[in-house]
Amino acid sequence: MSLDTNLDTVRQQLGQAGIELHISKKRVKNINFRLKPHTLMVSAPMHVSASQILHAVAKRVPWAIANHPQVLEQYRRRQNTSSDPSAVNNSVLLWGTEQSFTLSPDKKIAYYRQQLSEVAPALFEKWQSIVGAYANEIRLKKMHTRWGSCNTRAKRIWLSVYLPAYPIECTEYVIVHELCHLHHANHSRAFWQTVATAMPDYLQWHNTLAGKTGQMD
């Protein structure tokens, strides 16, 4: 069995648990693992061979699959109060601007859903031609662990109803991100290059949603 085939097997095992594998070489002393929601981050020393990395990752697959539900639950608890930046009270943020009225949490979700459903068709029409990929179906969902998701086989894209709390460029970035998955199903270097080509300033909006200003892992 070839090295590529082994790596594909590992990715498939993780993928069945909803986990994507990201491997990068950095100036580190050891092979390091970081399990995040839907992602296993692996950083390896520059001198370590691909076969050594694969061997180390394969040994960590059971650990990642076993601990992923707990990581998701912890993240979900944080997101319950952080997905909507106005969740601590009944104030309403629309496209990053505080509104002059308040809404209960349930009515706020309904309001966000309505606002997102109104702008989504035009945004998809704009970005699909730029990305060169087209969705068959667009759906909105109350998601706490993701801003968007893509079923590449059905070409179905889901958007989080919390997105209207943020600047509209954040929604555009999520749309671009998910459309680019129709070209690349993973988060490979080619995927991020496709995102950057379509939306050169994507990192600003990615970081806004991630709650950070530094570069991505």
Side-chain angles (χ1 to χ4, degrees):
M1 185 178 291
S2 69
L3 183 63
D4 288 340
T5 303
N6 278 319
L7 183 57
D8 288 341
T9 300
V10 168
R11 289 188 185 279
Q12 184 177 10
Q13 290 173 338
L14 290 169
Q16 290 174 348
I19 305 171
E20 293 182 351
L21 177 64
H22 292 195
I23 300 175
S24 61
K25 286 197 171 185
K26 299 182 178 180
R27 296 184 181 279
V28 294
K29 294 183 178 180
N30 303 303
I31 299 177
N32 299 315
F33 297 86
R34 183 181 178 191
L35 184 60
K36 302 168 65 176
H38 304 290
T39 309
L40 176 60
M41 308 292 296
V42 182
S43 56
M46 303 296 290
H47 61 83
V48 174
S49 68
S51 60
Q52 289 175 302
I53 296 172
L54 176 59
H55 180 70
V57 173
K59 290 176 61 177
R60 282 285 187 143
V61 167
W63 166 82
I65 293 174
N67 286 275
H68 189 234
Q70 181 180 354
V71 171
L72 281 180
E73 179 59 28
Q74 292 174 345
Y75 184 76
R76 189 175 292 112
R77 289 176 182 174
R78 292 196 301 269
Q79 287 298 102
N80 278 335
T81 56
S82 62
S83 293
D84 175 7
S86 61
V88 294
N89 51 46
N90 291 332
S91 64
V92 178
L93 290 174
L94 180 60
W95 309 126
T97 301
E98 187 168 356
Q99 303 300 294
S100 59
F101 54 89
T102 61
L103 292 172
S104 67
D106 288 343
K107 289 185 177 180
K108 190 188 301 186
I109 292 298
Y111 177 72
Y112 284 163
R113 185 183 295 274
Q114 176 187 356
Q115 295 297 321
L116 187 55
S117 65
E118 289 178 358
V119 303
L123 294 181
F124 270 91
E125 183 177 357
K126 169 186 175 180
W127 288 104
Q128 286 179 142
S129 59
I130 295 174
V131 175
Y134 298 81
N136 289 336
E137 189 176 2
I138 304 162
R139 295 186 183 182
L140 311 182
K141 187 177 181 181
K142 185 179 177 181
M143 295 188 284
H144 292 302
T145 60
R146 293 184 178 184
W147 293 111
S149 64
C150 179
N151 183 318
T152 56
R153 291 185 179 180
K155 295 187 176 181
R156 181 187 303 118
I157 290 177
W158 296 83
L159 299 178
S160 169
V161 295
Y162 292 108
L163 282 168
Y166 294 83
I168 197 166
E169 291 88 352
C170 292
T171 297
E172 293 188 86
Y173 159 65
V174 174
I175 290 173
V176 169
H177 184 114
E178 302 307 334
L179 286 172
C180 286
H181 275 312
L182 297 178
H183 290 303
H184 307 281
N186 52 28
H187 287 103
S188 62
R189 180 177 298 180
F191 167 82
W192 289 112
Q193 288 176 341
T194 303
V195 173
T197 298
M199 191 179 200
D201 64 342
Y202 82 90
L203 191 56
Q204 176 182 352
W205 312 115
H206 168 93
N207 288 340
T208 297
L209 291 175
K212 62 182 181 181
T213 56
Q215 294 189 359
M216 295 179 299
D217 292 329

